[in-house]
Amino acid sequence: MAGRVDVDDLVPDSDRSWHDRVPEGLRWRAVVHLLGNGYWVWIIAVPSDATSIGIVTDERVHPFSSYSTRERTMTWLAQHEPELSSHLRDFPVLDFRVMKQYSYTSQQVFSADRWSCVGDAAVFADPFYAPGIDMIGVGNTITIEMLKREQLGRLDSRTVERWNKWFINLNHVLMKSIQVGYPFLGETIPATSKLLWDFVAAWGYQAPQTFSATYLDLDASGPIRAVTAPFIFLQVRMQRFFADWAAHGPGSCRYRFLDYFSLRYLLELRDRNLKPDKSIEELVSDARLNMATMDELAQVLFLVAVADQFPEEKHRFEDPVWINAWAVSMDPTSWETDRLFDPPSAPRSLDEMRADLFRALGVVW
């Protein structure tokens, strides 16, 4: 679109709490996401005084055919984002493009025969969270390592194949963990809880590998994987938990604005893990702290869900609360059989994280 599409213009000037959070009218510089069940819409300022508007959907909820032409796109926006649609009438359309099946993978991206696929030529998971930039960095780093080893005569097919499998699997995991949340992006509390979990998963599990390039030596990084191995099972459990939570529909919790960095655990996790070139020993120590944070966060988010959907069950979680994070679910009848009350980890205090998240998400306990 020609011109600056500013999301501030969609909010009445009388709503000062909204406008004053980002002073001097600078919100237009951000990547803005408008969320609804099965879709999100981006608003991104681009050079030459233009704005990119994009629609990304789950095909099962919003078929590609429903917005595959310019005319259908405007009709779709009028139905699902009417305020934005009305605002866009004043902006000329400069260009229009569509892409179906934007997520893709490859059978091979690195080869001992002295070639590799980099950037979009390799894989693409999903635009939400913009993991493509990370995948480009990882792919380029492996490619550079291949060049170095080839020059030294040490490029072997076994190592290259391990990199290949690891990289393709990483793309697959990213795609699945992101897209499982699309159907309930409009369910505020479950979607926000998943977002908070995904931040921790990214910064506590994937970021250390990326920042210190531990994937370049999969044998040497074995001690890190030994600590983080339980995360894979916890991740699967939590993603299913969020989807089941959303399926219950709106609950009792409400919030209007969440400052992520008001949550101390999240800020500490970011500051600890987004640092380059740590030793294996440092990363193992960090991994233990990260796993502890994930354990605690899973429990607290479960308590949020209990307050949101099952207030009659709150009496089963009297202080001090410590449960089995790997057994959380939205089925109270299975809590006992799934050993929810038989935690594998030693009890710790959840008080601070619980207080912060309950306040942020409007939980009444």
Side-chain angles (χ1 to χ4, degrees):
M1 315 293 289
R4 180 189 298 174
V5 179
D6 189 344
V7 71
D8 275 359
D9 294 335
L10 306 182
V11 179
D13 190 61
S14 59
D15 190 346
R16 296 317 309 168
S17 62
W18 162 270
H19 291 284
D20 292 345
R21 281 193 212 108
V22 184
E24 301 180 25
L26 295 178
R27 192 178 266 111
W28 66 273
R29 295 180 180 271
V31 176
V32 175
H33 299 63
L34 306 180
L35 309 179
N37 285 342
Y39 77 89
W40 61 284
V41 176
W42 77 63
I43 305 175
I44 306 174
V46 296
S48 303
D49 192 32
T51 304
S52 172
I53 309 292
I55 301 171
V56 187
T57 73
D58 184 323
E59 178 72 15
R60 297 166 297 178
V61 184
H62 300 279
F64 178 76
S65 60
S66 65
Y67 59 93
S68 57
T69 68
R70 177 175 166 180
E71 292 74 19
R72 290 176 180 177
T73 289
M74 300 312 295
T75 300
W76 189 96
L77 284 172
Q79 179 180 356
H80 298 286
E81 294 293 341
E83 293 87 356
L84 176 63
S85 173
S86 177
H87 187 61
L88 291 180
R89 293 172 187 165
D90 299 328
F91 294 84
V93 176
L94 298 176
D95 194 12
F96 179 82
R97 293 287 186 272
V98 294
M99 178 183 294
K100 191 176 183 180
Q101 297 176 333
Y102 55 84
S103 299
Y104 56 87
T105 186
S106 300
Q107 290 186 334
Q108 187 169 6
V109 293
F110 308 117
S111 171
D113 292 330
R114 302 173 66 243
W115 61 264
S116 72
C117 297
V118 297
D120 292 344
V123 296
F124 186 80
D126 194 274
F128 202 69
Y129 299 147
I133 299 298
D134 298 88
M135 295 300 289
I136 289 172
V138 170
N140 288 351
T141 301
I142 292 176
T143 299
I144 291 169
E145 184 68 16
M146 289 172 61
L147 289 168
K148 291 179 180 178
R149 295 192 185 193
E150 199 278 333
Q151 289 292 313
L152 296 172
R154 295 194 293 109
L155 186 64
D156 64 280
S157 58
R158 176 180 175 274
T159 299
V160 174
E161 183 56 26
R162 290 180 72 186
W163 285 333
N164 190 67
K165 290 181 178 179
W166 178 85
F167 185 82
I168 292 172
N169 182 66
L170 174 60
N171 182 72
H172 177 76
V173 169
L174 286 170
M175 179 184 68
K176 291 296 185 182
S177 64
I178 293 171
Q179 294 178 358
V180 70
Y182 269 51
F184 58 90
L185 282 174
E187 303 297 334
T188 304
I189 300 299
T192 301
S193 297
K194 173 176 161 52
L195 189 70
L196 291 169
W197 175 261
D198 288 347
F199 286 161
V200 169
W203 293 346
Y205 180 76
Q206 184 55 42
Q209 300 181 64
T210 303
F211 274 75
S212 294
T214 58
Y215 49 83
L216 294 181
D217 192 336
L218 294 173
D219 291 327
S221 58
I224 303 171
R225 294 196 300 278
V227 175
T228 60
F231 167 76
I232 303 301
F233 302 99
L234 183 58
Q235 168 77 334
V236 171
R237 189 81 182 194
M238 292 302 293
Q239 297 299 346
R240 185 172 64 204
F241 166 72
F242 295 128
D244 291 345
W245 183 357
H248 280 73
S252 63
C253 297
R254 299 284 188 278
Y255 82 93
R256 190 175 187 205
F257 173 72
L258 171 59
D259 178 358
Y260 298 121
F261 289 152
S262 69
L263 305 173
R264 195 176 79 172
Y265 80 89
L266 192 60
L267 187 60
E268 290 177 347
L269 192 86
R270 186 198 68 166
D271 291 345
R272 178 168 65 245
N273 292 292
L274 274 61
K275 294 180 179 178
D277 304 324
K278 288 189 174 184
S279 67
I280 294 296
E281 291 74 21
E282 289 175 307
L283 291 169
V284 168
S285 177
D286 287 349
R288 292 194 179 101
L289 294 173
N290 297 339
M291 287 301 301
T293 299
M294 294 173 194
D295 187 354
E296 294 161 10
L297 179 62
Q299 296 186 49
V300 173
L301 290 176
F302 171 76
L303 295 176
V304 173
V306 170
D308 187 52
Q309 297 291 341
F310 308 119
E312 70 280 3
E313 301 287 349
K314 291 193 292 187
H315 70 278
R316 302 173 71 178
F317 304 96
E318 297 299 331
D319 291 332
V321 180
W322 192 260
I323 56 176
N324 182 358
W326 283 258
V328 300
S329 77
M330 293 298 292
D331 180 9
T333 64
S334 72
W335 290 346
E336 293 283 357
T337 56
D338 287 351
R339 303 180 69 179
L340 178 68
F341 303 101
D342 186 16
S345 53
R348 299 183 296 276
S349 174
L350 296 174
D351 290 351
E352 181 178 356
M353 184 185 291
R354 180 176 171 176
D356 284 349
L357 278 170
F358 277 20
R359 181 194 69 252
L361 297 177
V363 176
V364 177
W365 190 270

